[in-house]
């Protein structure tokens, strides 16, 4: 048995800019149209860690008091461009032990752009 949750995030120009300021990652493929095009992208792309953080925000309601994330991994399958809206689905898998596992899938339209999972442990 599994339990699910879903939500959407839009990677706006402002969110990408704010993440660059917070992280110090000013790689121009995230901030500048011409630089993104030089590297073969149609538009600036969102930071991977920004996407991971926003995805975790959607599934964070599954995190119970007294638990912490012990592992969090994500695969970036397709670029996420500025102003893309990603529809995320998270599922809590029935744990075989005391460490619940959650799987996350993000779609842009009908394309899967990210997949990930995280594991919780008791503190």
């Amino acid at each position: 048995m599994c339990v699910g949750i879903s939500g959407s995030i839009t990677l706006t120009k402002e969110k990408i800019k704010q993440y660059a300021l917070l992280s110090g990652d000013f790689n121009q493929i995230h901030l500048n149209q011409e630089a993104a095009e030089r590297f073969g992208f149609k538009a600036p792309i969102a930071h991977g860690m920004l996407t991971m953080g926003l995805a975790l925000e959607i599934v964070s309601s599954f995190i119970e008091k007294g638990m912490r994330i012990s592992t969090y991994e994500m695969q970036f399958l397709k670029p996420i461009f500025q102003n893309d809206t990603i529809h995320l689905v998270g599922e809590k898998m029935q744990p075989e032990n005391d460490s619940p596992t959650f799987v996350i899938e993000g779609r842009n339209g009908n394309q899967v752009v990210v997949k990930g999972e995280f594991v919780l442990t008791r503190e």
Side-chain angles (χ1 to χ4, degrees):
M1 176 182 176
C2 62
V3 178
I5 192 168
S6 64
S8 297
I9 55 172
T10 301
L11 286 296
T12 64
K13 180 178 184 174
E14 186 59 28
K15 283 181 186 172
I16 294 170
K17 181 180 173 183
Q18 287 175 351
Y19 185 81
L21 290 168
L22 289 171
S23 68
D25 182 351
F26 294 100
N27 187 318
Q28 290 299 296
I29 63 171
H30 303 298
L31 304 167
N32 180 280
Q33 179 70 36
E34 293 79 24
E37 288 175 359
R38 275 195 307 273
F39 285 91
F41 299 110
K42 66 180 183 180
I45 60 173
H47 299 79
M49 293 303 290
L50 171 60
T51 305
M52 285 181 78
L54 293 171
L56 188 58
E57 185 177 322
I58 286 176
V59 297
S60 65
S61 63
F62 284 130
I63 302 172
E64 301 169 15
K65 187 173 181 173
M67 300 198 87
R68 67 176 178 83
I69 298 171
S70 61
T71 305
Y72 184 23
E73 298 176 355
M74 186 164 275
Q75 294 176 310
F76 303 96
L77 306 172
K78 302 274 184 188
I80 298 172
F81 298 102
Q82 180 179 294
N83 296 318
D84 280 355
T85 297
I86 307 306
H87 304 283
L88 295 153
V89 175
E91 292 184 347
K92 179 180 180 182
M93 308 309 288
Q94 185 65 32
E96 294 179 14
N97 53 34
D98 198 30
S99 298
T101 299
F102 298 79
V103 293
I104 303 168
E105 182 178 272
R107 291 179 174 268
N108 186 2
N110 63 358
Q111 286 193 320
V112 177
V113 293
V114 293
K115 282 185 174 183
E117 98 174 16
F118 67 95
V119 177
L120 297 178
T121 57
R122 298 232 177 258
E123 292 184 317

